[in-house]
Amino acid sequence: GDSVTQMEGPVTLSEEAFLTINCTYTATGYPSLFWYVQYPGEGLQLLLKATKADDKGSNKGFEATYRKETTSFHLEKGSVQVSDSAVYFCALSHRGDKIIFGKGTRLHILP
Amino acid sequence: DTEVTQTPKHLVMGMTNKKSLKCEQHMGHRAMYWYKQKAKKPPELMFVYSYEKLSINESVPSRFSPECPNSSLLNLHLHALQPEDSALYLCASSQGDASNEKLFFGSGTQLSVL
Protein backbone atom coordinates (compact mmCIF):
# COMPACT_ATOMS: atom_id res chain seq x y z
CA GLY A 1 0.00 0.00 0.00
CA ASP A 2 0.90 3.66 -0.17
CA SER A 3 3.26 5.00 2.48
CA VAL A 4 5.34 8.03 3.47
CA THR A 5 8.73 7.92 5.17
CA GLN A 6 10.28 11.00 6.68
CA MET A 7 13.44 11.55 8.66
CA GLU A 8 13.35 10.89 12.36
CA GLY A 9 13.56 13.83 14.69
CA PRO A 10 13.94 15.84 16.66
CA VAL A 11 15.94 18.17 14.45
CA THR A 12 17.65 20.99 16.36
CA LEU A 13 19.09 23.97 14.51
CA SER A 14 20.26 27.46 15.32
CA GLU A 15 18.32 30.45 14.04
CA GLU A 16 19.19 31.38 10.42
CA ALA A 17 20.47 27.87 9.64
CA PHE A 18 19.49 26.01 6.45
CA LEU A 19 16.79 23.38 6.90
CA THR A 20 16.17 20.13 5.05
CA ILE A 21 13.63 17.56 6.16
CA ASN A 22 13.69 14.47 3.97
CA CYS A 23 10.53 12.77 2.77
CA THR A 24 10.15 9.81 0.41
CA TYR A 25 7.00 8.02 -0.62
CA THR A 26 5.75 4.75 -2.05
CA ALA A 27 2.63 4.92 -4.17
CA THR A 28 1.14 3.69 -7.41
CA GLY A 29 0.28 6.28 -10.00
CA TYR A 30 0.64 9.99 -9.34
CA PRO A 31 -0.38 11.06 -5.85
CA SER A 32 -0.62 14.64 -4.64
CA LEU A 33 2.05 15.48 -2.07
CA PHE A 34 1.77 17.79 0.94
CA TRP A 35 3.65 19.24 3.87
CA TYR A 36 1.55 20.04 6.93
CA VAL A 37 2.84 21.83 10.05
CA GLN A 38 1.53 21.48 13.61
CA TYR A 39 2.44 24.20 16.09
CA PRO A 40 2.21 23.38 19.81
CA GLY A 41 -1.37 23.09 21.03
CA GLU A 42 -2.86 23.45 17.57
CA GLY A 43 -4.24 21.38 14.73
CA LEU A 44 -2.39 20.83 11.46
CA GLN A 45 -2.06 23.54 8.81
CA LEU A 46 -1.24 22.98 5.16
CA LEU A 47 2.20 24.46 4.51
CA LEU A 48 2.54 23.63 0.81
CA LYS A 49 1.54 21.09 -1.79
CA ALA A 50 2.40 19.78 -5.25
CA THR A 51 0.07 17.82 -7.48
CA LYS A 52 2.31 16.59 -10.30
CA ALA A 53 5.91 15.69 -11.06
CA ASP A 54 8.42 18.58 -11.07
CA ASP A 55 5.93 20.94 -9.40
CA LYS A 56 7.44 23.11 -6.67
CA GLY A 57 5.29 24.07 -3.72
CA SER A 58 6.32 27.11 -1.69
CA ASN A 59 5.02 29.11 1.25
CA LYS A 60 6.51 31.26 4.05
CA GLY A 61 10.04 30.66 2.73
CA PHE A 62 9.61 26.87 2.67
CA GLU A 63 9.93 24.94 -0.60
CA ALA A 64 9.53 21.35 -1.76
CA THR A 65 9.81 19.84 -5.24
CA TYR A 66 7.87 16.76 -6.39
CA ARG A 67 10.56 14.38 -7.68
CA LYS A 68 8.99 11.41 -9.41
CA GLU A 69 12.33 9.81 -10.33
CA THR A 70 13.47 9.66 -6.68
CA THR A 71 9.93 9.49 -5.17
CA SER A 72 10.86 12.36 -2.89
CA PHE A 73 9.37 15.62 -1.61
CA HIS A 74 12.05 17.11 0.66
CA LEU A 75 11.21 20.27 2.62
CA GLU A 76 13.76 23.11 2.59
CA LYS A 77 14.10 26.59 4.02
CA GLY A 78 17.09 28.84 3.60
CA SER A 79 17.02 30.58 6.98
CA VAL A 80 14.91 29.23 9.84
CA GLN A 81 13.41 31.27 12.67
CA VAL A 82 12.51 30.37 16.24
CA SER A 83 8.86 30.63 15.20
CA ASP A 84 9.37 27.70 12.79
CA SER A 85 9.64 25.31 15.76
CA ALA A 86 6.85 22.80 15.21
CA VAL A 87 6.15 19.27 13.99
CA TYR A 88 6.23 18.83 10.21
CA PHE A 89 4.26 16.06 8.48
CA CYS A 90 4.85 14.91 4.92
CA ALA A 91 1.72 13.40 3.37
CA LEU A 92 0.26 12.01 0.19
CA SER A 93 -3.24 11.61 -1.13
CA HIS A 94 -3.95 9.11 -3.84
CA ARG A 95 -7.31 7.45 -3.53
CA GLY A 96 -10.17 9.84 -2.98
CA ASP A 97 -10.63 11.12 0.55
CA LYS A 98 -7.85 9.43 2.46
CA ILE A 99 -4.60 11.29 3.12
CA ILE A 100 -1.60 9.29 4.36
CA PHE A 101 0.73 11.04 6.79
CA GLY A 102 4.35 10.34 7.62
CA LYS A 103 5.31 9.97 11.27
CA GLY A 104 6.25 13.63 11.63
CA THR A 105 9.53 15.42 12.30
CA ARG A 106 9.85 17.65 15.35
CA LEU A 107 11.91 20.79 14.68
CA HIS A 108 13.51 22.89 17.42
CA ILE A 109 15.09 26.21 16.50
CA LEU A 110 17.45 27.74 19.06
CA PRO A 111 17.82 31.53 19.28
CA ASP B 1 -14.28 32.73 7.96
CA THR B 2 -11.58 30.10 7.34
CA GLU B 3 -11.82 28.36 10.68
CA VAL B 4 -12.84 24.97 11.89
CA THR B 5 -14.09 25.33 15.46
CA GLN B 6 -14.02 22.42 17.89
CA THR B 7 -15.59 22.24 21.34
CA PRO B 8 -14.73 21.51 24.03
CA LYS B 9 -10.96 22.08 23.97
CA HIS B 10 -10.43 19.69 26.87
CA LEU B 11 -12.60 16.83 28.14
CA VAL B 12 -12.14 14.41 31.01
CA MET B 13 -14.58 11.52 31.20
CA GLY B 14 -15.04 8.25 33.02
CA MET B 15 -15.45 4.94 31.24
CA THR B 16 -19.21 4.90 31.91
CA ASN B 17 -19.89 8.44 30.71
CA LYS B 18 -21.50 9.59 27.48
CA LYS B 19 -20.15 12.75 25.92
CA SER B 20 -20.05 14.44 22.53
CA LEU B 21 -17.40 16.36 20.63
CA LYS B 22 -18.57 19.10 18.31
CA CYS B 23 -17.09 20.59 15.15
CA GLU B 24 -18.34 23.48 13.05
CA GLN B 25 -17.21 25.14 9.82
CA HIS B 26 -18.78 27.92 7.76
CA MET B 27 -16.60 27.72 4.66
CA GLY B 28 -19.17 25.82 2.62
CA HIS B 29 -17.00 22.71 2.67
CA ARG B 30 -18.75 19.49 1.71
CA ALA B 31 -16.34 16.97 3.24
CA MET B 32 -15.68 16.67 6.98
CA TYR B 33 -13.34 14.36 8.84
CA TRP B 34 -12.56 13.01 12.30
CA TYR B 35 -8.96 12.14 13.16
CA LYS B 36 -7.41 10.71 16.32
CA GLN B 37 -3.88 11.78 17.24
CA LYS B 38 -1.83 10.19 20.01
CA ALA B 39 1.14 12.08 21.44
CA LYS B 40 4.11 12.31 19.06
CA LYS B 41 2.22 10.40 16.35
CA PRO B 42 0.58 11.45 13.09
CA PRO B 43 -3.20 11.84 12.90
CA GLU B 44 -5.13 8.64 12.16
CA LEU B 45 -8.27 8.90 10.06
CA MET B 46 -11.46 7.72 11.77
CA PHE B 47 -14.41 8.89 9.66
CA VAL B 48 -15.16 10.90 6.54
CA TYR B 49 -18.47 12.53 5.67
CA SER B 50 -18.98 13.62 2.11
CA TYR B 51 -22.08 15.69 1.32
CA GLU B 52 -23.46 14.78 4.76
CA LYS B 53 -23.20 11.04 4.13
CA LEU B 54 -20.70 8.76 5.86
CA SER B 55 -18.28 7.71 3.14
CA ILE B 56 -15.39 6.22 5.13
CA ASN B 57 -15.30 4.42 8.48
CA GLU B 58 -11.79 3.19 9.20
CA SER B 59 -12.99 0.20 11.24
CA VAL B 60 -13.51 2.40 14.29
CA PRO B 61 -15.01 0.70 17.41
CA SER B 62 -18.73 1.31 17.89
CA ARG B 63 -18.11 3.23 21.12
CA PHE B 64 -17.34 6.12 18.73
CA SER B 65 -20.43 7.25 16.82
CA PRO B 66 -20.22 10.08 14.27
CA GLU B 67 -23.10 12.29 13.22
CA CYS B 68 -23.40 14.98 10.57
CA PRO B 69 -26.63 16.94 11.28
CA ASN B 70 -25.98 19.37 8.40
CA SER B 71 -23.23 20.48 6.08
CA SER B 72 -21.66 22.78 8.70
CA LEU B 73 -21.72 20.52 11.74
CA LEU B 74 -20.01 17.29 12.70
CA ASN B 75 -20.37 15.51 16.01
CA LEU B 76 -18.58 12.57 17.57
CA HIS B 77 -20.58 10.77 20.25
CA LEU B 78 -18.53 8.90 22.85
CA HIS B 79 -19.80 6.08 25.05
CA ALA B 80 -18.06 3.51 27.26
CA LEU B 81 -14.59 4.61 26.23
CA GLN B 82 -11.38 2.98 27.40
CA PRO B 83 -8.29 4.71 28.84
CA GLU B 84 -6.41 3.92 25.60
CA ASP B 85 -8.88 6.17 23.78
CA SER B 86 -7.26 9.17 25.46
CA ALA B 87 -5.90 11.33 22.63
CA LEU B 88 -6.29 14.57 20.71
CA TYR B 89 -9.35 14.38 18.45
CA LEU B 90 -9.09 16.57 15.40
CA CYS B 91 -11.85 17.64 13.07
CA ALA B 92 -11.05 18.73 9.53
CA SER B 93 -12.92 19.88 6.46
CA SER B 94 -12.23 20.26 2.76
CA GLN B 95 -14.06 21.88 -0.11
CA GLY B 96 -14.76 18.57 -1.80
CA ASP B 97 -13.39 15.08 -1.60
CA ALA B 98 -10.80 15.14 -4.37
CA SER B 99 -7.40 13.72 -3.54
CA ASN B 100 -5.56 17.04 -3.83
CA GLU B 101 -7.89 19.02 -1.58
CA LYS B 102 -6.47 21.14 1.19
CA LEU B 103 -7.59 20.01 4.63
CA PHE B 104 -8.51 22.68 7.20
CA PHE B 105 -8.03 21.41 10.75
CA GLY B 106 -9.52 22.56 14.01
CA SER B 107 -7.36 22.88 17.14
CA GLY B 108 -8.73 19.66 18.52
CA THR B 109 -10.29 18.30 21.70
CA GLN B 110 -7.82 16.81 24.17
CA LEU B 111 -9.67 13.84 25.66
CA SER B 112 -8.68 12.02 28.82
CA VAL B 113 -10.52 8.83 29.77
CA LEU B 114 -10.14 7.83 33.41
Side-chain angles (χ1 to χ4, degrees), chain A:
Chain A
D2 295 350
S3 65
V4 175
T5 302
Q6 58 183 110
M7 60 191 292
E8 297 283 332
V11 173
T12 302
L13 295 172
S14 297
E15 204 165 23
E16 299 182 4
F18 184 86
L19 169 70
T20 300
I21 300 178
N22 290 335
C23 172
T24 57
Y25 67 91
T26 301
T28 55
Y30 300 92
S32 295
L33 301 176
F34 308 85
W35 277 100
Y36 279 83
V37 58
Q38 187 173 29
Y39 298 102
E42 297 184 13
L44 281 71
Q45 302 174 25
L46 179 67
L47 182 59
L48 53 83
K49 73 174 187 181
T51 56
K52 60 183 188 295
D54 300 323
D55 266 3
K56 178 186 282 188
S58 61
N59 186 25
K60 300 181 181 179
F62 291 89
E63 293 183 340
T65 301
Y66 190 143
R67 301 284 188 203
K68 182 70 175 171
E69 63 276 13
T70 54
T71 61
S72 65
F73 193 55
H74 305 320
L75 183 68
E76 296 181 336
K77 186 175 185 183
S79 176
V80 292
Q81 306 300 313
V82 172
S83 57
D84 294 326
S85 298
V87 180
Y88 291 80
F89 292 97
C90 185
L92 70 82
S93 183
H94 187 64
R95 298 193 194 94
D97 301 338
K98 188 169 180 175
I99 186 167
I100 296 170
F101 290 97
K103 292 186 176 181
T105 302
R106 188 170 299 272
L107 176 65
H108 294 292
I109 307 299
L110 302 175

Side-chain angles (χ1 to χ4, degrees), chain A residues 44-45, chain B residues 1-5 24-29 93 102-106:
Chain A
L44 281 71
Q45 302 174 25
Chain B
D1 184 358
T2 58
E3 282 193 351
V4 175
T5 304
E24 191 167 4
Q25 57 86 15
H26 295 288
M27 294 178 278
H29 289 175
S93 69
K102 173 180 178 178
L103 291 177
F104 290 77
F105 283 86

Side-chain angles (χ1 to χ4, degrees), chain B residues 71-96:
Chain B
S71 60
S72 299
L73 295 175
L74 185 66
N75 298 322
L76 186 63
H77 303 297
L78 314 174
H79 173 55
L81 294 194
Q82 304 297 309
E84 60 265 28
D85 296 322
S86 298
L88 180 68
Y89 287 84
L90 293 165
C91 175
S93 69
S94 64
Q95 190 168 5

Side-chain angles (χ1 to χ4, degrees), chain B residues 34 36 44-48 56-66 76-78 81 85 89:
Chain B
W34 280 115
K36 173 183 176 181
E44 300 173 15
L45 183 65
M46 301 175 71
F47 303 104
V48 181
I56 293 181
N57 176 341
E58 290 287 312
S59 302
V60 178
S62 60
R63 57 185 184 268
F64 295 91
S65 175
L76 186 63
H77 303 297
L78 314 174
L81 294 194
D85 296 322
Y89 287 84

